[in-house]
Amino acid sequence: MTTDWTAEARRITRGKRFDELGTPAAGPAAAPPPLSEAEILAAEAELGITFPDQYRAYLLRQSGGGTVNRLCRSAAGWGWHGDSSTNYALLTSDFPHPDSYRAYEDELDEREPQAQDFPDHDAYQAAWDQWDAEYEVFQERKTSGAVFIQENGCGFSTLLVVTGPHRGSLWFDGRATCDQILPLNLDGRPVSFTDWLAHHSMDLVQW
């Protein structure tokens, strides 16, 4: 069966939140209190995930505000304030290691429709629209099972993996310039959430 990539792209896009959660707070505000055990359990149940241990402990002991996108409840439900990039529909899917999709990405790039290969503009446009939608879906799935936990400016973000074999690890979304998602490391080992809090993501990524 042929996939309707335009329809799939629309479906996946609906997993993002563009309500008040995606809007940064206006002006300075008092730091919110830590979350309670009951609130964290409610968030986990609603989102369909279990938070990594160190992140869970962080939510219990201090505010999730500041430079870390804050977990809170809005009219749309539980989510991360100031974040419009996390795809909630994909949170329960395993985060894919970049090595797992390199071949597909190369093949997809090679399949980009070229105008000279089609009899007319309409046929070319239809093929290109489907290819572009497939590429959009592919890019969205690169961050399955991950939360955009911090915005780093210039289109960069830090990801916290919450689902799959890499759960608890932190990654740097550098697709704005290098089209790569890279693991964060500290002294040659994967950085823990607690260690990451004391550093800047840009200092923990190897380009």
Side-chain angles (χ1 to χ4, degrees):
M1 178 182 288
T2 302
T3 301
D4 182 345
W5 289 109
T6 301
E8 181 65 5
R10 285 197 298 266
R11 184 189 71 80
I12 283 187
T13 298
R14 287 197 293 270
K16 290 189 173 184
R17 297 270 179 89
F18 297 101
D19 58 4
E20 65 268 30
L21 285 175
T23 305
L35 295 179
S36 67
E37 178 70 21
E39 287 173 319
I40 292 175
L41 288 172
E44 290 177 325
E46 183 179 306
L47 297 169
I49 58 176
T50 300
F51 299 130
D53 291 345
Q54 291 188 3
Y55 178 60
R56 204 171 193 281
Y58 169 80
L59 294 174
L60 284 168
R61 73 173 181 264
Q62 67 186 79
S63 164
T67 60
V68 179
N69 289 333
R70 180 170 64 89
L71 179 66
C72 61
R73 184 170 181 81
S74 75
W78 283 97
W80 287 269
H81 189 71
D83 162 40
S84 60
S85 298
T86 294
N87 194 309
Y88 291 74
L90 298 176
L91 274 181
T92 59
S93 300
D94 287 359
F95 175 79
H97 192 286
D99 289 346
S100 70
Y101 52 71
R102 292 193 199 284
Y104 172 57
E105 186 165 23
D106 290 343
E107 186 266 339
L108 186 57
D109 286 339
E110 291 174 1
R111 279 198 285 113
E112 181 177 358
Q114 303 298 319
Q116 63 268 22
D117 296 330
F118 293 85
D120 55 54
H121 177 75
D122 288 346
Y124 163 68
Q125 189 64 53
W128 196 89
D129 287 346
Q130 280 293 308
W131 177 86
D132 186 54
E134 182 180 358
Y135 199 85
E136 180 182 348
V137 170
F138 168 58
Q139 290 294 334
E140 199 64 28
R141 287 177 175 166
K142 282 184 176 182
T143 57
S144 295
V147 173
F148 283 71
I149 202 71
Q150 184 183 73
E151 302 300 318
N152 301 113
C154 301
F156 299 135
S157 298
T158 300
L159 304 172
L160 171 65
V161 178
V162 295
T163 308
H166 305 289
R167 181 172 170 271
S169 61
L170 290 121
W171 295 68
F172 190 74
D173 186 351
R175 288 177 292 176
T177 56
C178 70
D179 200 31
Q180 294 186 67
I181 295 177
L182 302 162
L184 297 187
N185 291 278
L186 181 64
D187 299 327
R189 59 176 173 77
V191 64
S192 69
F193 182 82
T194 301
D195 286 340
W196 170 73
L197 289 172
H199 295 79
H200 192 284
S201 293
M202 294 289 282
D203 297 329
L204 300 169
V205 64
Q206 296 179 350
W207 297 95

